[in-house]
Amino acid sequence: MQTKKVIDHIVNWLKDYATKANSKGFVVGVSGGIDSAVVSVLVAKTGLPVLVLEMPIRQKADQVDRAQGHIDFLKANFPNVEGFRVDLTPTFESFEKTTEGYKDDSPSKNLAEANTRSRLRMVTLYYYGQINGFLVTGTGNKVEDFGVGFFTKYGDGGVDISPIADLYKTQIYEIAKELGVLESIQKAKPTDGLWEVERTDEDQIGATYPELEWAMEQQKVGKTEADFEGREKEVMSIYLRFNRATQHKMNPIPVCEIPEELKLD
């Protein structure tokens, strides 16, 4: 990959889009992860106003430290960046109390609460975005957004623009190195940070990002599980299972089209 040229292309695309959309700048949620770190540097390089928000909800200390360290890095290097913490823990805990008692034994309860965290962050980003006239900027990568659907619908998937959604995770690491993103972020294991216990992306999916990227490329040329053996067969099966189950996230909302003759009196 021509890393420097890719960076320039994204930065120019962001500036052009903001201009055409009559937007004053960008708002980005930073988690201490590689994707949000890269996106926040890319929008900062546009020279337009940028607001970066850390939005902890009972977050692990190492995630908080990385997010705060990255905000400090941005402020030190880009005068157009403002950043601060919006602690959503009280808001989330209030929601927990409000919904307490309804199907507490449901096997989907923990997942519903995890997704609620992401959706609260989306609401917060749009609140600050609208106040400032900023675009809510997505941090999803190609395999997450279009491969395994590893994002929360109307959570981190609820954005105005997606500057890195055509790049694989491995390519984003290359960009992070070129941009000088903090070593602690580059070396951290990817996690969505939505669970009470530490659960990396690999723990949840069952495959690494390089493996998933390989499977996505195989799918493009029409390969299935039947074409492989051993670990490759297992990875292909994992990828396709996620891909099939998350099409509702990747495709437009289904619209019930009413026959014209039924609309007539």
Side-chain angles (χ1 to χ4, degrees):
M1 183 175 71
Q2 300 178 57
T3 308
K4 291 183 179 180
K5 289 185 178 181
V6 169
I7 290 170
D8 290 342
H9 178 83
I10 295 173
V11 171
N12 289 329
W13 180 85
L14 285 163
K15 285 193 289 189
D16 289 346
Y17 191 95
T19 299
K20 292 174 182 176
N22 294 317
S23 173
K24 297 176 181 177
F26 308 91
V27 59
V28 186
V30 293
S31 63
I34 194 77
D35 294 333
S36 64
V38 164
V39 168
S40 55
V41 177
L42 291 171
V43 294
K45 285 175 72 66
T46 66
L48 296 171
V50 174
L51 176 61
V52 290
L53 301 178
E54 186 219 349
M55 299 171 286
I57 301 176
R58 297 203 290 247
Q59 228 61 40
K60 300 290 183 294
D62 63 317
Q63 296 170 16
V64 171
D65 290 344
R66 290 197 303 273
Q68 287 293 327
H70 182 65
I71 290 175
D72 291 341
F73 164 81
L74 288 169
K75 287 181 175 180
N77 288 278
F78 300 97
N80 55 316
V81 171
E82 178 188 10
F84 53 85
R85 161 187 270 216
V86 181
D87 189 354
L88 293 176
T89 300
T91 305
F92 176 71
E93 291 179 344
S94 176
F95 180 85
E96 276 188 313
K97 290 178 183 178
T98 302
T99 57
E100 189 176 15
Y102 180 75
K103 296 188 177 181
D104 288 336
D105 59 347
S106 168
S108 299
K109 183 177 177 63
N110 288 338
L111 179 58
E113 289 187 342
N115 284 329
T116 296
R117 296 186 187 209
S118 183
R119 289 172 179 136
L120 285 174
R121 291 180 178 131
M122 180 274 291
V123 169
T124 304
L125 288 169
Y126 271 97
Y127 174 81
Y128 284 98
Q130 189 157 34
I131 284 176
N132 291 286
F134 291 170
L135 293 165
V136 175
T137 310
T139 60
N141 60 65
K142 187 172 186 175
V143 74
E144 288 176 340
D145 283 5
F146 303 112
V148 292
F150 193 65
F151 61 90
T152 298
K153 196 173 185 178
Y154 306 120
D156 52 328
V159 299
D160 294 321
I161 51 172
S162 293
I164 62 169
D166 195 35
L167 293 172
Y168 281 133
K169 192 86 162 184
T170 49
Q171 294 171 317
I172 290 165
Y173 277 102
E174 291 182 45
I175 291 176
K177 185 176 181 180
E178 181 65 32
L179 294 175
V181 169
L182 298 177
E183 282 289 322
S184 59
I185 293 177
Q186 293 190 51
K187 293 180 178 179
K189 291 184 178 180
T191 177
D192 57 17
L194 299 178
W195 304 87
E196 295 295 322
V197 296
E198 185 67 46
R199 296 180 66 181
T200 67
D201 293 353
E202 185 177 350
D203 290 336
Q204 295 186 64
I205 299 172
T208 66
Y209 279 104
E211 287 178 325
L212 294 171
E213 291 168 14
W214 168 83
M216 193 169 182
E217 289 299 315
Q218 300 310 307
Q219 184 194 37
K220 286 182 182 179
V221 295
K223 300 288 186 179
T224 68
E225 303 100 311
D227 295 300
F228 305 99
E229 296 181 355
R231 178 59 180 169
E232 288 185 341
K233 183 183 183 72
E234 182 181 7
V235 168
M236 200 68 198
S237 178
I238 290 169
Y239 171 84
L240 290 174
R241 184 173 73 250
F242 273 91
N243 182 264
R244 292 165 186 146
T246 58
Q247 287 297 310
H248 67 98
K249 297 182 182 182
M250 305 177 205
N251 294 322
I253 299 171
V255 174
C256 177
E257 296 185 4
I258 310 300
E260 288 300 319
E261 62 269 21
L262 295 184
K263 298 177 185 178
L264 300 175
D265 291 332

